[in-house]
Amino acid sequence: YDAFWKRQAFAPWVNRVTVPTLNVAGWWDQEDFYGPIKIYELLERHDKSRQNFLVVGPWNHGGWSRGDARKLGRVDFGSATAEYYRKNILAPFFAYYLKDKGTGERAEATTFRTGVNEWVNHDVWPPRRDVAERKLYLSANGKLSFDPPPTSGEGFDSYVSDPANPVPYRPRPIELRSGWTTWLVEDQRFIDHRPDVLTWSTDTLENDVVVSGKIIANLFASTSGTDSDWIVKLIDVYPEKYEQDPKMGGFQLMIAGDVTRGRYRKSFEKPEPIPANAVERYEIGFPANDHVFKKGHRIMVQVHSTWFPVIDLNPQQFVPNIFQAKESDFKKATQRIYRSGRNASYIALPVVNANVSTTTR
């Protein structure tokens, strides 16, 4: 993050609210989900007249502005979400602020809560009322649990990451003219059980788990190399027998997924090598989420180190400039994800009504 990129950055300029602003985003925006969420957050710091609003729906890039958006890929949201937005949110917004018609009363944030497929109004975003952080721990034997792991020991799971055989970001063959707009809702079973992908899962949920706000992955990891990428995905696993839509039985729907590059773990301005085989902490924040993991479903986390070609390959050995790396710079690396003691990896979930039992069976 040098002087060139700092000149391109918009954040320093988003320092006042000059006109009523409706920030619109889609949960599965394959182009830029981060942008509208960040703009809303930056404007909100200066919104003294309450003119800055947020809407997030179950859309890809621009999906709110065309068609009915009842479905995205194979996922059915049960209603025409884009039509609802245009009729009930966008049109009244323009009518009031451009033509002085209607009422100025509107929610600070309106989100489409996937899983239960309903619109929810919030008085603040991220929501605070009845929301508490719950830690979902990566545990032994591929289990995810809200129960803390052992306080001692050095439990970990490992895999070998090979840049010559990277994990694809969607099923192959990857066609340039199709699939890009819906790759975020692809069934993640296509990489499940690869030897270079680690998977943890809860047992079947006995109650709904409502997650609303910002999810943060806290990963304790080591690599035998001196640089590494870490990809973390949070996934909703449908029941194997799904009566509502039998073809969706066992479907693995990615709710959140992002990547961090190890060389930038301390600073984007000054990249530095990772000490080989040393445990380091990585924090991966997902911009926003509003989803219900339904009773009868499971929650899954996947971790891997390549996501090709949507994320360029990391040599896994520190080089001054990855774009100038030679073929000989790319090396296999043994990756470890730790899950006990002071190095217990977990996903921080903003759970609504967290006092309600989230036990599994």
Side-chain angles (χ1 to χ4, degrees), residues 232-304:
V232 179
K233 300 174 185 173
L234 184 68
I235 295 167
D236 185 342
V237 183
Y238 287 54
E240 289 297 329
K241 293 184 178 180
Y242 191 65
E243 294 181 359
Q244 295 173 244
D245 185 353
K247 292 183 179 179
M248 291 291 288
F251 194 89
Q252 295 181 6
L253 175 62
M254 181 166 58
I255 303 304
D258 217 330
V259 58
T260 190
R261 180 150 282 176
R263 63 172 51 211
Y264 300 118
R265 68 198 180 283
K266 295 181 180 179
S267 166
F268 285 113
E269 287 84 0
K270 297 179 180 179
E272 60 181 70
I274 302 172
N277 300 310
V279 181
E280 296 276 324
R281 180 178 181 273
Y282 301 91
E283 185 176 286
I284 305 173
F286 308 108
N289 288 94
D290 200 344
H291 181 76
V292 178
F293 295 90
K294 294 283 290 179
K295 175 183 176 180
H297 290 224
R298 291 182 293 128
I299 305 174
M300 175 182 285
V301 169
Q302 289 181 349
V303 174
H304 44 99

Side-chain angles (χ1 to χ4, degrees), residues 127-282:
R128 300 175 190 144
R129 186 181 305 169
D130 298 324
V131 176
E133 178 184 296
R134 293 291 306 275
K135 294 180 178 179
L136 188 58
Y137 292 96
L138 312 186
S139 303
N141 302 314
K143 294 292 186 180
L144 273 180
S145 176
F146 288 103
D147 297 325
T151 57
S152 61
E154 194 181 54
F156 62 85
D157 295 301
S158 66
Y159 60 96
V160 175
S161 175
D162 182 2
N165 183 28
V167 178
Y169 79 104
R170 57 187 171 107
R172 296 180 292 180
I174 296 174
E175 298 179 3
L176 297 180
R177 297 184 180 275
S178 66
W180 168 250
T181 59
T182 56
W183 77 268
L184 287 170
V185 291
E186 289 276 8
D187 188 345
Q188 295 301 305
R189 282 180 292 189
F190 80 99
I191 63 167
D192 199 10
H193 292 100
R194 271 184 62 124
D196 52 356
V197 177
L198 291 179
T199 301
W200 297 265
S201 176
T202 65
D203 293 329
T204 302
L205 296 173
E206 293 187 345
N207 299 285
D208 291 356
V209 178
V210 184
V211 176
S212 187
K214 187 170 184 177
I215 298 169
I216 300 176
N218 294 266
L219 205 65
F220 292 89
S222 69
T223 176
S224 62
T226 51
D227 196 5
S228 179
D229 289 352
W230 306 102
I231 293 97
V232 179
K233 300 174 185 173
L234 184 68
I235 295 167
D236 185 342
V237 183
Y238 287 54
E240 289 297 329
K241 293 184 178 180
Y242 191 65
E243 294 181 359
Q244 295 173 244
D245 185 353
K247 292 183 179 179
M248 291 291 288
F251 194 89
Q252 295 181 6
L253 175 62
M254 181 166 58
I255 303 304
D258 217 330
V259 58
T260 190
R261 180 150 282 176
R263 63 172 51 211
Y264 300 118
R265 68 198 180 283
K266 295 181 180 179
S267 166
F268 285 113
E269 287 84 0
K270 297 179 180 179
E272 60 181 70
I274 302 172
N277 300 310
V279 181
E280 296 276 324
R281 180 178 181 273
Y282 301 91

